[in-house]
Protein backbone atom coordinates (compact mmCIF):
# COMPACT_ATOMS: atom_id res chain seq x y z
CA UNK A 1 0.00 0.00 0.00
CA UNK A 2 1.27 3.49 -0.86
CA UNK A 3 2.22 5.72 2.07
CA UNK A 4 -0.51 8.27 1.25
CA UNK A 5 -3.12 5.53 1.43
CA UNK A 6 -2.05 4.15 4.78
CA UNK A 7 -0.98 7.25 6.70
CA UNK A 8 -2.82 10.38 7.73
CA UNK A 9 -1.22 13.71 6.84
CA UNK A 10 -0.12 14.03 10.47
CA UNK A 11 1.65 10.63 10.38
CA UNK A 12 3.75 11.35 7.31
CA UNK A 13 7.49 11.93 7.52
CA UNK A 14 8.86 15.23 6.19
CA UNK A 15 10.04 13.52 2.98
CA UNK A 16 6.64 11.87 2.45
CA UNK A 17 4.93 15.22 3.04
CA UNK A 18 7.15 16.95 0.47
CA UNK A 19 6.60 14.12 -2.03
CA UNK A 20 2.87 14.89 -2.03
CA UNK A 21 3.45 18.18 -3.85
CA UNK A 22 2.65 17.62 -7.52
CA UNK A 23 4.74 20.65 -8.54
CA UNK A 24 1.87 22.44 -10.29
CA UNK A 25 2.80 25.89 -8.92
CA UNK A 26 -0.82 26.98 -8.39
CA UNK A 27 -0.23 27.79 -4.73
CA UNK A 28 2.51 30.23 -5.79
CA UNK A 29 0.21 32.41 -7.88
CA UNK A 30 -0.60 35.85 -6.47
CA UNK A 31 -4.09 35.98 -4.97
CA UNK A 32 -6.09 39.18 -4.84
CA UNK A 33 -8.92 39.90 -2.43
CA UNK A 34 -11.99 41.86 -3.48
CA UNK A 35 -12.19 44.60 -0.86
CA UNK A 36 -15.99 44.68 -0.89
CA UNK A 37 -16.90 40.99 -0.94
CA UNK A 38 -13.74 39.39 0.45
CA UNK A 39 -13.70 37.04 -2.54
CA UNK A 40 -10.27 35.68 -3.41
CA UNK A 41 -9.25 36.01 -7.04
CA UNK A 42 -6.29 34.13 -8.51
CA UNK A 43 -4.01 35.87 -10.96
CA UNK A 44 -1.52 34.59 -13.52
CA UNK A 45 1.22 36.49 -11.69
CA UNK A 46 3.63 34.15 -9.93
CA UNK A 47 5.82 34.57 -6.86
CA UNK A 48 9.24 36.01 -7.58
CA UNK A 49 10.82 32.71 -6.49
CA UNK A 50 8.76 30.41 -8.72
CA UNK A 51 10.51 29.33 -11.91
CA UNK A 52 7.89 29.68 -14.64
CA UNK A 53 9.15 26.69 -16.63
CA UNK A 54 10.05 24.12 -13.98
CA UNK A 55 7.37 25.29 -11.51
CA UNK A 56 9.89 24.84 -8.73
CA UNK A 57 10.83 27.34 -6.07
CA UNK A 58 14.26 28.77 -6.84
CA UNK A 59 15.11 29.04 -3.13
CA UNK A 60 12.83 26.59 -1.35
CA UNK A 61 14.85 26.36 1.91
CA UNK A 62 14.83 30.15 2.35
CA UNK A 63 11.48 30.98 0.75
CA UNK A 64 9.82 32.22 3.92
CA UNK A 65 12.71 34.57 4.69
CA UNK A 66 12.68 36.00 1.16
CA UNK A 67 8.89 36.07 0.77
CA UNK A 68 7.40 36.91 4.20
CA UNK A 69 3.83 36.03 3.16
CA UNK A 70 4.85 32.61 1.82
CA UNK A 71 2.86 30.07 3.79
CA UNK A 72 4.40 26.75 4.71
CA UNK A 73 1.69 24.13 4.33
CA UNK A 74 1.17 21.85 7.32
CA UNK A 75 -1.35 19.14 8.19
CA UNK A 76 -3.12 21.72 10.36
CA UNK A 77 -3.35 24.64 7.95
CA UNK A 78 -4.20 22.73 4.73
CA UNK A 79 -7.64 22.16 6.20
CA UNK A 80 -8.17 25.86 6.84
CA UNK A 81 -6.58 27.83 3.95
CA UNK A 82 -9.40 28.63 1.52
CA UNK A 83 -7.23 29.29 -1.54
CA UNK A 84 -5.52 25.91 -1.69
CA UNK A 85 -6.44 24.53 -5.12
CA UNK A 86 -9.02 21.74 -5.21
CA UNK A 87 -6.49 19.75 -7.23
CA UNK A 88 -3.84 19.97 -4.50
CA UNK A 89 -2.79 16.60 -3.09
CA UNK A 90 -2.71 17.98 0.46
CA UNK A 91 -6.26 19.25 0.18
CA UNK A 92 -7.51 16.13 -1.61
CA UNK A 93 -6.07 13.85 1.10
CA UNK A 94 -7.38 16.09 3.88
CA UNK A 95 -10.83 15.81 2.27
CA UNK A 96 -10.53 12.01 1.98
CA UNK A 97 -10.39 11.99 -1.83
CA UNK A 98 -7.04 10.32 -2.44
CA UNK A 99 -4.54 11.37 -5.08
CA UNK A 100 -5.71 12.14 -8.60
CA UNK A 101 -4.79 9.75 -11.43
CA UNK A 102 -2.53 12.40 -12.96
CA UNK A 103 -0.50 12.99 -9.78
CA UNK A 104 3.15 11.97 -10.33
CA UNK A 105 3.06 9.52 -7.42
CA UNK A 106 0.19 7.72 -9.16
CA UNK A 107 1.09 8.21 -12.84
CA UNK A 108 4.82 7.80 -12.35
CA UNK A 109 5.44 10.81 -14.58
CA UNK A 110 5.60 14.48 -13.50
CA UNK A 111 4.67 15.47 -17.06
CA UNK A 112 1.07 14.33 -16.48
CA UNK A 113 0.51 17.41 -14.31
CA UNK A 114 1.42 19.57 -17.32
CA UNK A 115 -0.39 17.43 -19.89
CA UNK A 116 -3.68 17.47 -18.01
CA UNK A 117 -3.62 21.27 -17.61
CA UNK A 118 -3.04 21.55 -13.87
CA UNK A 119 0.48 23.00 -14.04
CA UNK A 120 1.11 26.74 -14.36
CA UNK A 121 4.12 26.00 -16.57
CA UNK A 122 4.51 28.66 -19.26
CA UNK A 123 1.25 30.42 -18.33
CA UNK A 124 2.38 33.04 -15.83
CA UNK A 125 4.14 36.36 -15.39
CA UNK A 126 6.84 37.02 -12.80
CA UNK A 127 5.64 39.37 -10.05
CA UNK A 128 8.70 41.60 -10.34
CA UNK A 129 7.89 42.22 -14.03
CA UNK A 130 4.28 43.35 -13.47
CA UNK A 131 3.36 46.55 -11.66
CA UNK A 132 1.25 45.63 -8.61
CA UNK A 133 -1.27 48.24 -9.80
CA UNK A 134 -1.83 46.01 -12.85
CA UNK A 135 -2.22 42.68 -11.02
CA UNK A 136 -6.00 43.02 -11.12
CA UNK A 137 -5.82 42.92 -14.92
CA UNK A 138 -4.19 39.50 -14.55
CA UNK A 139 -7.14 37.84 -12.82
CA UNK A 140 -7.73 34.43 -14.41
CA UNK A 141 -9.98 31.47 -13.79
CA UNK A 142 -7.89 28.69 -15.36
CA UNK A 143 -6.21 27.85 -12.03
CA UNK A 144 -9.64 26.65 -10.87
CA UNK A 145 -9.74 24.04 -13.67
CA UNK A 146 -10.12 20.49 -12.44
CA UNK A 147 -9.43 17.59 -14.78
CA UNK A 148 -11.92 14.72 -14.90
CA UNK A 149 -11.56 12.16 -12.11
CA UNK A 150 -10.95 9.44 -14.70
CA UNK A 151 -9.69 9.29 -18.26
Amino acid sequence: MAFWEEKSLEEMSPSEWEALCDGCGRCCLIKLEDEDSGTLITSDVRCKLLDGDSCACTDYPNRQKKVPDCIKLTPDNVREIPWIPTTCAYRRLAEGKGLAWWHPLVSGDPQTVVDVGVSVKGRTFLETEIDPEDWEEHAVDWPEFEPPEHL
Side-chain angles (χ1 to χ4, degrees):
M1 205 172 191
F3 73 86
W4 62 88
E5 294 173 334
E6 63 183 2
K7 293 182 178 181
S8 70
L9 294 175
E10 291 78 10
E11 294 170 325
M12 291 182 189
S13 70
S15 62
E16 290 169 333
W17 176 264
E18 292 296 325
L20 288 179
C21 178
D22 63 26
C24 73
R26 287 180 175 192
C27 60
C28 299
L29 296 178
I30 304 293
K31 281 75 169 172
L32 309 169
E33 185 175 357
D34 183 289
E35 292 177 6
D36 298 325
S37 68
T39 302
L40 289 176
I41 301 162
T42 304
S43 74
D44 61 3
V45 180
R46 70 180 184 274
C47 170
K48 65 183 179 182
L49 296 181
L50 186 69
D51 181 294
D53 290 320
S54 70
C55 294
C57 183
T58 58
D59 195 1
Y60 191 74
N62 300 304
R63 69 194 187 282
Q64 292 179 286
K65 291 177 189 154
K66 292 187 175 183
V67 180
D69 59 347
C70 177
I71 297 174
K72 180 179 179 172
L73 298 180
T74 68
D76 290 329
N77 69 14
V78 295
R79 292 175 172 89
E80 298 175 12
I81 299 172
W83 52 257
I84 293 177
T86 56
T87 54
C88 177
Y90 302 110
R91 180 173 177 168
R92 288 181 59 92
L93 292 178
E95 293 174 350
K97 294 181 181 173
L99 296 184
W101 61 269
W102 47 263
H103 190 286
L105 290 174
V106 176
S107 71
D109 184 359
Q111 184 63 33
T112 55
V113 179
V114 177
D115 293 345
V116 78
V118 172
S119 175
V120 305
K121 180 180 181 171
R123 301 163 79 175
T124 61
F125 299 91
L126 188 61
E127 76 174 300
T128 56
E129 295 174 355
I130 305 293
D131 186 323
E133 293 293 317
D134 297 332
W135 285 358
E136 209 171 293
E137 296 170 23
H138 286 266
V140 291
D141 60 3
W142 58 258
E144 308 307 317
F145 167 75
E146 248 187 288
E149 282 296 319
H150 305 282
L151 275 179

